[in-house]
Every structure is written in C-alpha cells, then in structure tokens.
Amino acid sequence: MNRTDEDRSQRTWHLYIPKLYSLLRRGYGWDDLRHDAVAGLTVAIVALPLAMALAIASGTTPDKGLITAVVAGFLISALGGSRVQIGGPTGAFVVVVFNVIAEHGYDGLVVATLMAGAMLIVAGLARFGTWIKYIPEPVITGFTAGIAVIIFSSQIRDLLGLSMDSVPADFFAKWQAFWNARDTIDIASTAIAAGALVVILGLRRWRPKLPGFLIAVALSAFAVSLLALPVDTIGSRFGGIPDHLPVPSLPSVTWQEMGALLPSAFTIAFLAGVESLLSAVVADGMTGYRHRSNCELVAQGVANCASAAFGGLPATGALARTATNVRSGARTPVAGMLHAVFLLLFMLVLAPLASFVPLASLAAVLVIVAWNMSEVHRFRALMSAPWGDRIVLLVTFALTIAVDLTVAIEVGVVLASILFMHRMSEVAAIGPAGAAVIEQDEDDFAPGAITPDQRADLPAGVEVFQLRGPLFFGVAGRFSDVIERIGTTPRAIILRMRDVPMVDSTGAGRLKAFAEQCRRNGAALILSGLQPQPRDVLERMGVTGSNLYRAPDYVEAIALATRLTRDPSERSGTGL
C-alpha cells in the first residue's frame, strides 16, 4: 500500500469517529456543560409525553417509548456524527411498528428492530449515508403525509372515548368501525382532548417557549384526578409504568421467522436512515456545522440494537426535538445524552404519577404530531410540480394509507426512477442545440475548444458556479455544500444554468432552500441562462425571493452582480 492509499484509509477511518469525541478533544468547559444541561432538560420535558404517546399509538405500552428515548437517545448522541441530534421514538415508525406487533407480536418487533439495526450498521460502514440524497422529495413527502393521516386515524377512539373492544388495522375498516361506534362517544374524554388541544395550540401561539405538550398532559391528569372523571388513563388501561429499566434480553427466533420479518426490518432501517439524516441536515442548517452521515447511520444501528435488547422500539433522529435542542442552546452531543439521563430520572421519580394521565390528552398530543408530520405546505407546493412528480406524490401517499408503507416506498422509488428515465429521453431528444445529458470530454485541439475562464471578469465579492446536466433528485443535495466551500460569504452568487436542461421538484425545492440560505447570509442569488423547462418548473414551484434574480446570459449576470454589490439598495428581487 502506497502513502496515498494509507492517507485515504486513515481519512476514511476518521469519518466514523463520533462527534462527541471530536468536540471533547477540542476542550469542554463548565459554560459548555451549562448550555448542554439546559438544552437537555428542555428537550427531556418535551420528549416525556411524546415518548409515551408514540408507544401507545404503536400498539404497545407507554414504558416502551420511554425506554427507547432513554437507551437509544443516549447512544445516538454519544456515538453519532451530529453535534445536536436528538434520537428516540418518532411518528414515522408508528405504522410499521403497529403492523409488526399485530402480525408477529412484540417479540417479532424486537427481532425486526435488531435486523434493522444490523442493516444500518452495514449501510454506514458501506458509506451509504451519502446516498440518502437520492430519495426523491415526492416519495418522502408522500409517505410522511400518509403516516400522518394514519396516526390521526389511530387516535379517534381515545379522542372521543369510543367504546370499542379493538380497532381494525385496515384504514377503511377502522373508519367504518368508528362510525359504527359513534353512539358511544364519551363527553368527558372528548372534553379532556379538546381542552388539551386548546392548551397546546394556545401556548404555541402566545407562549411558544413553554412545553405545551407536558403542560397540557399535566393539567389533564390534574383535572381527571380532581374531578374523578371516568375516563381511560395509563393506569386503567396499562397498569402504570415501571420505575426502572428492564434487564436486557433477546427472544428466540427461527430463520423462517427472520425471513418473514425481513421486509419490515428493511422498512424500519430505511425510515431510520432517512429520518435521521434529514434531521441532521436541518440541524446543520440551523447551526452552520456539518454532520458525518455514515457515522450517524452506524450510531443509529447500534442504538436500535440496544433499544431492542432493553425492550424498546425502533428509534431515529427526531426533527422537532433536535430543533428544540438547537434553539435551547445545545453545543455538543452531551445535551442529547443529558436529555436521556433526565428522562431516566423522570421515569424513576414520576412513574406513579403517570398512571393518572388520561389517554385522551395523549391522543391530543398525537393529533398535533400528525399535523406537523403532514407538512401540508410542502404537499401543496408539490401539487404545483410537473405532472410526473404529482403522480409519484399521490401514489405514494395513497399506498401508504390503503396498502402498506413498505409497498408505498418501493413503488414510489420505482415510479420516480421511471419518471426520471422518461424525462431524460425527452431531454436527449432536444437535439444538438440542447445540453447533453452525459457530458463528453472536450477536444482541446478543436477550433474554439478552449473555454474562457469564467472567473476572469468576476467582480470582487461575487462567486460563480456552473451547473451542467439535469438538476434532479440525485444531485440536488449538492446545493447545501456550495456556500460552505467558499472561504468568506460573498455578496452575490451567480448560478450558470444554461446547460441545465431539466429540473424536477426535488431540484426546485433544494434550489429554493439554497436561495433562502443565501438570503440568511446576505448574498444575492442570480440565475443565468435558464432554459424553458427549468424556468417553468421554478415558477410553478414558487421559487422566488427578495434576493433572487434572473439574467438571460452570463454577461448580463456579471453586470447585475456588479450593480448589486456596489449599491445594495438596488436589491428588490425580481424572482423569476
């Protein structure tokens, strides 16, 4: 092995060092600990009711959610590749976990989670983390919105206090059963749920810094205890929660059972990988730091294996809790580890009080979670995308609700791939005047072959990047890296898009996010040489902004950038 190979091998090994070690090695003081402790406590307060509610929605007992938040939450922060990632149970798993438990029992879920953890570790070691960007946005939005609808549907019984021995797993059968039980609506349960919703929404509107979920659940429990309301509580249905962590154990399993659980394990691993890396990307945008995606996948795998061993649920990065962690001042992964420690203390001390929590209040919490997951604004924006992206979105959404999450993801990805090939065939048919789908090598000896340096006439404070080829879901993720590759933040950025023949909805979404990133950094963004298809898609997807401009060619873009950098008062933004 030569020196270059040794250096490359060493750099690859460094990519799997947890962020915790990297940051502690640079120094960690009392001020850092104070910030991390405050953030960890804040997130623990938010996570406490969520963990119990998500476990109940998944068809198991509330203590399973707390165990997951404690065990997996600690390991995801301790071993992960993100500074501020918070791990634990999330709404994304509710559907698949409920179905696995219904079909294979809780032992089957433990085995599926262990298999998923192993898959995540292998995926991280194989450096698949950088491949997550290839999942098209319509697929992610479609199955996420579908999961949100299913979560909402699963809470109708507790929201209204319906008297039902069991709730069918099938979506349409479930709503038929709700309709048949409409005469059993309980006024007290409905009032508790409505009151919890009012408290949560009111605090979000007027006191957003307060932990609305916990306050609503605590007030509901106090009202039920004080008024002796005859409603279902954690104590009446589940017998309370234990005040300790269980001893790790694993169920016995046969190869045949593992084969039957393989599709569910793959779905759990897929969701864990996608959700955790999406959460890490959002955290990067909020903090300005970078996560290590493959290290994060390995940590997710280890955490899921440990959660299963302790009798927990699948876990992944939780976007809302991670954002809360950042806003609360977290500096290092210690905040996420302390969040798990605080949850364990809550579990040890407050376990007897949890028996008084009414299920209607937890149902109200999950209604808000479902609404946040649905991302109505994003769904609506994608409905303005080209017809192919709309079909992928709606098919994935419908299959998630009506058939199965695994089938929805598989069909969505296949449809998106077929759609991409169709678009490429159309682009290739444009002819010699169009941009080539596959860029060929240039002959430096051909007449006029020497391409002029695009930076030769670049004014001070202006950066330029040239994009070539289709801007589809496979390459759109590169936008988040552009500003970070620049030493200092420029006052204007020119994106040369003359050789971009096609943009899909994911590419438009990433370009919109890039424009917003430029705005936050005080940089104007100029798109030059837009072709008709990209221009039409960007207009339909609402890619506009006060800092976004368009120029017909590179010469005009240089002139516009010069004016904007010399006189910032001219910045009015013309959109597209």
Side-chain angles (χ1 to χ4, degrees), residues 49-103:
L50 269 177
M52 294 189 294
L54 289 168
I56 294 172
S58 300
T60 185
T61 54
D63 60 297
K64 307 284 189 197
L66 293 175
I67 291 170
T68 307
V70 171
V71 176
F74 186 90
L75 291 174
I76 286 172
S77 295
L79 304 177
S82 171
R83 283 174 172 250
V84 292
Q85 180 86 284
I86 298 294
T90 69
F93 291 122
V94 167
V95 177
V96 63
V97 169
F98 186 92
N99 290 337
V100 171
I101 293 177
E103 187 173 350

Side-chain angles (χ1 to χ4, degrees), residues 520-538:
R520 290 196 302 266
N521 285 277
L525 180 61
I526 304 171
L527 309 182
S528 73
L530 273 176
Q531 294 196 31
Q533 194 275 351
R535 183 176 64 247
D536 178 62
V537 172
L538 295 180

Side-chain angles (χ1 to χ4, degrees), residues 384-404:
S384 300
W387 64 267
D389 293 311
R390 280 179 277 172
I391 290 177
V392 173
L393 172 71
L394 294 176
V395 168
T396 307
F397 175 72
L399 288 176
T400 301
I401 293 174
V403 183
D404 179 72

Side-chain angles (χ1 to χ4, degrees), residues 104-114 248-254 257-258 261 305 308-311:
H104 301 282
Y106 181 74
D107 284 352
L109 176 65
V110 170
V111 174
T113 306
L114 286 169
S249 63
L250 298 175
S252 59
V253 62
T254 64
E257 291 171 334
M258 292 180 64
L261 288 166
C305 290
F310 275 90

Side-chain angles (χ1 to χ4, degrees), residues 24 56 131 160 228 283 287 291 303 324 329 430 461 557:
L24 293 182
I56 294 172
W131 290 20
L160 303 179
T287 62
H291 73 283
T324 300
I430 292 176

